[in-house]
Every structure is written in structure tokens, then in C-alpha cells.
Amino acid sequence: MSTPFYVSPQQAMADRAEYARKGIARGRSLVVLQYADGIVFVGENPSRALHKFSEIYDRIGFAAAGKYNEYENLRIGGVRYADLRGYTYDRDDVTARGLANVYAQTLGTIFSSAAEKPYEVELVVAEVGALPEGDQIYRLPHDGSIVDEHGSVAVGGNAEQISSFLDQRHRDGMTLAEALKLAVQALSREPNGGEREIPAERLEVAVLDRTRPQQRKFKRIVGRQLARLLDADGGGAPTDAPSDDETDDSGDSATGRSEAKGSGGTTEPPAED
Amino acid sequence: MEANTRSTGRLPAAFLTPGSSSFMDFLSDHSPDMLPGKRSLPPLQGAIQAPHGTTIVAASFPGGVVLAGDRRATMGNMIAQRDIEKVFPADEYSAVGIAGTAGLAVEMVKLFQLELEHFEKVEGATLSLEGKANRLSTMIRSNLAMAMQGLAVVPLFAGYDVDREKGRIFSYDVTGGRSEEVGFAATGSGSIFARGSMKKLYRDNLTEQQTLTLVVQALYDAADDDSATGGPDVARRIYPIVTVITDEGFRRLTDVESAEIAAAVLERRMEEPDGPRAALL
């Protein structure tokens, strides 16, 4: 029997983290943004059937980057957890905080157990409140840590660059059309600094809309409604919006944009479905 | 289950095991004691006294279906509750009305709603209307042991079939036997009278508004002859629960709307206590 090589715990953990990060980086990034009436999930996804975003419970949505079979497994576990909890107690007792804790424990245990390979996933659990102050967004990296986010969050391979782009431009009280356009702009940025076009049919968009009369606030935005939001207000301010992203004074351009797009934003959400 | 989740903090293995899209299947694997049908029953002598719900009626019209119920729950010869709700949305395009033991029936509806929602979330698609009706059948069957001891639940299921573009009604017997009804159906102790009433008034080309009036007439007739069914309670402003499902989904009439229909029916009954008359020949 040969003597096993000694590997320091620090080195072992660093190797596992490196492995997970590489796996996650192979997938496309996605972003989750707060807007005036809720939370919007935007990602590039060529598949119509295999979703990156989904409903967990009434007010709770789920987004994931990384390996599909692994996050799908976690998603179904989350749906089971939420449904069982709601059935045992009450629908109000199912919270994003509770779910995020369970996910964090699950990912953390897997990450530090030598018997299992670490999951190559990064999750976002978001809950829409009755008011914007009640919104909660939690980011869960592969190692089971948990980060309480506000405003905007990006996960996936190019997350850091997209996050800093969003941090500079996102502000509270954006309309859905504004938030969606900002998200697409952020996702269009290449790691090497260039930009590319993401056609609408490659976008997966979903919202947790607090103004929805139904108990279940999650809704996918597809087809005509998505197209309408993407080119809400055809002329004027929006056409120069893409060129805006080189300017750093977000104050002026932000207020200008909100006025210009206000009309488009108020008409869109209840129009379809 | 819950305690287990808390003790280790991590999702138990059962939660992450790939498998069925059914919440009931998951429960029966993971914590079977939470399923209504899996409880062990003590030996019983005589019937248990528990509140019972009574009359539910449904009628279809071109473009949709209406499901309505009275508001009375009885326990023996006593009125246990005057404003009980016995008609619930099952999901966006279907609803279920319950007659029988109220406590068990409400629990069954809660589990049924969850079953449909769970499937929808896991699969990303909704069950067919037929699939939903069959699922309810299974749930009634699992309650058979309790039904034999007098705690029966007999629901009425109605929904809009988006594939066939029409409203459909399914009635059940206590063993879970399922049959699709054409036009109209009723369940519960007052159902004989409600069915007789609808038999005379129903036509297959009624408008939505006429169908709403039809079911309120039928509930009035049921309350007229069955002591366990409650009529419109004008003094307390308690009116029947009336719901309608069309291609736009489930909608429950507001109290004001159902009060209006009830008031119109009541007013006519002041002149003709037995209600509208059908032609003799």
C-alpha cells in the first residue's frame, strides 16, 4: 500500500473552489435587478424549455448559473421544501431567508465533504415584498456562503464585471423597461471589453411582480410583451441610451431616462396575460 | 421532515432525490403521516359528529362553466356554521366544490391545490383537465376507510379545458368513481332538489349571466326542500359563493354581484314561491 501524499486543508479547499468556479464560468451570466414594482430576472438562454429562472413559491423566485442538472436538483429540492413548509404551517411562513439558509447549508455541506464533488452552481433566491423595502435578494456561491444583496446582482462567469457595471447605473424605482434594458446592456458586455448583440429570442426574462393580483407573483415575460418592453418608446432618449454606458455621470442621464421612459413603463405590465 | 431539515440544516436526501412531480408521492415517501389517507384509524362505533357541507351545483355554458355552493354547515340537526366556504379555486382554470365532512374536505382541497401547483412548478407545464380530475379521484379513494365510518367527502370538479376550449364538469362518488357530466351537476344532501330544478331550467345555449342565475335558482330550490342547505341570508348579508371559469381563468363573483343575483331571485320568489315554471308539454 502506497503512502498517500499530504495535501494541506487550505490547498484542498482552494482546489475545490477553483474547480467549482471553473464549472460556473462555463455558463452564461445572469442578472437579477430590483425595479419599482418588483424584481426582474434576465439571462441569455437559447433554450425555451430548460429554464434558468423559476418559481419556488408565491413570492419567491430562483435563478441559477452553472451546471444544469445540479441546479435543477436544488431547485426541485427547494420547491419541495417550500411546498411542505407551506402545507405544514401557512403560506406566509415560507420565506426566502429560510430557503436561502437551507440552500447555504446544503451547498456548504457538499463543498466541505471530501466524499462529494463540489456543486458547480451559483444561485440567487429572491423574494418580492409588499413594498420595495421588503424585497430580499440572496446570492449563494458554490461554497455555501450567503450574501444579502440590494439593487442588483449578477452571477456566473463574467459576474464581477457585470456587477460593477450594474452598481454604477442601477438606481431604485426604475421602471420594468428601464431595468430590463440596463440588464441587457450589462449582459452584452464581453470580458475583453467589447460588446455583442443579444437578440430578444435568446433572452429569458421573468419577474416577481408585486402588483399582480394573484397570490403567485412569478411570471415569465415572453413574445410580444418582451418585444414591447425592449423597444418601449421607440424615439428620443432610448436610442442614445446604449451610447450612454461610456459616460460616468449617471446622475443626469439617469433622470433623463426615467422621464423619457416613464410613459412606456406605466402601460406595459398588466397589458398581457 | 421539518425537524429533520432543521437538525442538519441541509436538505434531507429525499428532497434532492430525482423522482415524481407529484407532491403527494413525495409526501408518502418522506412523511406519510401527513397524508390524510395514510392515518391509522381507531375502531369506531357509530358515526362521528362533525360539521357537514351540503349543496354544490355546477352548470356549463358556451365558453365556460359555473360552480356555486350554499353557505351552511350542519352537525346533526344543528347549524354549525352559516358562512362556510365550500367552493375553492383549484388552479387558474379549475375549481372544486366540496360536500361532506367539512374538516376533511377542506384538507383535501388544500392538498389538491398544492398537488396541481407543485406539478406546475416542477414540470413547468400544467396538467390536463382530465389529469387533474383523475388526481382528485385518487385522493377521494384514499379517504375510503374514513368514508366507511361516515366521514365521506364528495367533491364536484369543474374547469375550463383549454385544449377543447369548453367548460367541463366532473362528479364523483364516495369510492373515487368519476364521471363527466353534460350540462349540469350537483352534489350533497340538497343535490336531488337542485338537480330537479336545473333539469327544468337548463338549456345548452344560456349566456354566462343566465347560467349564474340558474345556479342560484337551483341553490334556492335545494334550500327550500333540504334543511341542511342554507338559502340566501338577507339579514346577515350572506349569499351563495358563485364562481365562473372561462378562457380568462377563474373568477369568484364579489359579494355585491352574488347579492344582486340572489336579490333578483328572491324578488321573483315573493310572487312565485316555487320559482320559474317550465312548459307542461
Side-chain angles (χ1 to χ4, degrees):
Chain A
M1 199 177 122
S2 59
T3 323
F5 287 110
Y6 173 76
V7 180
S8 75
Q10 288 95 326
Q11 188 55 47
M13 284 303 170
D15 287 351
R16 292 171 75 84
E18 174 73 10
Y19 171 81
R21 264 198 297 270
K22 272 192 179 155
I24 296 164
R26 273 195 287 273
R28 296 257 181 228
S29 303
L30 57 90
V31 298
V32 180
L33 266 71
Q34 278 180 275
Y35 70 99
D37 291 331
I39 296 168
V40 59
F41 302 80
V42 189
E44 186 180 358
N45 185 359
S47 169
R48 295 279 117 215
L50 308 175
H51 296 300
K52 286 174 178 289
F53 313 129
S54 51
E55 170 187 11
I56 296 282
Y57 211 63
D58 296 348
R59 297 181 155 272
I60 304 175
F62 171 96
K67 215 164 175 229
Y68 179 80
N69 69 324
E70 291 177 348
Y71 69 67
E72 177 68 3
N73 199 242
L74 287 167
R75 180 184 77 88
I76 290 174
V79 171
R80 287 174 176 166
Y81 163 85
D83 279 349
L84 180 59
R85 202 172 162 86
Y87 182 64
T88 312
Y89 304 111
D90 185 75
R91 294 192 84 94
D92 285 347
D93 296 315
V94 183
T95 59
R97 195 182 58 84
L99 181 68
N101 274 327
V102 171
Y103 276 147
Q105 293 299 333
T106 307
L107 285 169
T109 319
I110 293 168
F111 182 74
S112 40
S113 131
E116 284 175 270
K117 126 189 149 43
Y119 270 22
E120 299 157 65
V121 295
E122 188 163 13
L123 311 181
V124 176
V125 172
E127 177 176 345
V128 68
L131 295 169
E133 298 80 63
D135 291 350
Q136 295 169 42
I137 303 177
Y138 299 99
R139 183 167 63 86
L140 296 138
H142 54 86
D143 62 356
S145 49
I146 176 167
V147 192
D148 183 5
E149 302 271 6
H150 290 281
S152 64
V153 51
V155 295
N158 196 15
E160 267 179 42
Q161 196 191 356
I162 296 176
S163 288
S164 64
F165 178 85
L166 286 175
D167 284 345
Q168 286 167 22
R169 287 162 181 82
H170 181 272
R171 53 185 174 72
D172 294 338
M174 293 175 105
T175 67
L176 177 56
E178 285 175 300
L180 180 57
K181 274 184 223 177
L182 176 61
V184 175
Q185 265 180 45
L187 290 171
S188 311
R189 298 173 74 79
E190 300 271 11
N192 58 21
E195 265 193 56
R196 65 204 172 83
E197 181 95 354
I198 306 177
E201 55 273 17
R202 285 179 68 91
L203 281 177
E204 180 179 352
V205 180
V207 289
L208 286 166
D209 180 353
R210 74 178 110 253
T211 63
R212 237 168 109 78
Q214 287 95 327
Q215 191 172 27
R216 295 162 67 186
K217 308 295 182 194
F218 184 86
K219 181 175 180 266
R220 292 189 190 284
I221 294 185
V222 289
R224 284 214 311 278
Q225 194 185 6
L226 178 58
R228 201 163 55 235
L229 281 169
L230 284 171
D231 55 37
D233 54 25
T239 43
D240 56 86
S243 61
D244 265 359
D245 51 17
E246 297 310 318
T247 61
D248 271 337
D249 59 327
S250 50
D252 288 3
S253 61
T255 46
R257 236 180 279 175
S258 78
E259 275 170 22
K261 289 178 190 167
S263 57
T266 48
T267 50
E268 92 290 87
E272 209 163 324
D273 194 299
Chain B
M1 35 146 282
E2 282 299 312
N4 203 345
T5 308
R6 227 175 281 128
S7 65
T8 63
R10 119 176 227 191
L11 285 170
F15 284 65
L16 298 175
T17 310
S20 159
S21 309
S22 161
F23 183 70
M24 280 160 64
D25 289 356
F26 168 67
L27 264 193
S28 71
D29 286 349
H30 185 246
S31 44
D33 52 305
M34 291 187 73
L35 277 177
K38 293 277 172 69
R39 285 177 203 130
S40 58
L41 296 173
L44 270 186
Q45 277 152 5
I48 302 176
Q49 284 276 311
H52 272 64
T54 43
T55 308
I56 304 293
V57 295
S60 60
F61 61 93
V65 60
V66 172
L67 186 68
D70 75 310
R71 304 295 294 270
R72 182 173 288 179
T74 55
M75 197 158 67
N77 64 332
M78 247 184 20
I79 295 175
Q81 197 181 341
R82 293 177 198 284
D83 61 350
I84 191 174
E85 299 199 0
K86 307 180 218 172
V87 180
F88 305 92
D91 67 359
E92 188 117 21
Y93 287 104
S94 63
V96 56
I98 46 157
T101 315
L104 294 175
V106 170
E107 187 186 21
M108 190 182 283
V109 168
K110 200 175 153 192
L111 190 56
F112 183 55
Q113 289 169 327
L114 195 52
E115 175 78 2
L116 302 186
E117 185 186 323
H118 188 82
F119 184 95
E120 191 186 322
K121 287 191 288 196
V122 170
E123 297 269 319
T126 51
L127 275 170
S128 65
L129 194 65
E130 205 89 26
K132 294 174 200 169
N134 285 337
R135 212 63 197 130
L136 190 54
S137 213
T138 313
M139 294 177 69
I140 299 166
R141 202 165 291 131
S142 73
N143 191 49
L144 190 58
M146 289 214 252
M148 298 305 279
Q149 301 189 341
L151 300 176
V153 178
V154 189
L156 196 58
F157 179 65
Y160 183 80
D161 191 326
V162 283
D163 299 321
R164 300 194 193 180
E165 300 185 343
K166 64 170 189 170
R168 297 171 73 188
I169 304 167
F170 296 89
S171 70
Y172 297 86
D173 64 33
V174 77
T175 64
R178 185 206 93 168
S179 58
E180 182 166 3
E181 305 277 349
V182 180
F184 58 88
T187 183
S189 64
S191 63
I192 340 159
F193 309 108
R195 199 177 298 130
S197 171
M198 286 192 287
K199 194 193 247 176
K200 296 296 172 217
L201 298 178
Y202 182 80
R203 296 184 302 283
D204 58 11
N205 58 353
L206 295 175
T207 64
E208 178 180 326
Q209 195 58 39
Q210 286 172 323
T211 315
L212 295 173
T213 311
L214 172 88
V215 294
V216 175
Q217 291 278 20
L219 286 174
Y220 187 99
D221 282 321
D224 207 19
D225 286 315
D226 171 33
S227 62
T229 304
D233 190 338
V234 182
R236 294 190 182 82
R237 296 193 181 82
I238 301 170
Y239 300 99
I241 290 184
V242 185
T243 66
V244 52
I245 310 155
T246 62
D247 58 356
E248 287 180 7
F250 173 92
R251 185 172 81 91
R252 179 180 156 170
L253 265 61
T254 62
D255 285 350
V256 176
E257 285 173 306
S258 67
E260 249 171 48
I261 301 172
V265 169
L266 276 173
E267 197 180 324
R268 290 288 294 138
R269 297 270 171 157
M270 295 291 171
E271 293 154 29
E272 284 188 273
D274 293 341
R277 296 185 190 283
L280 193 56
L281 267 176

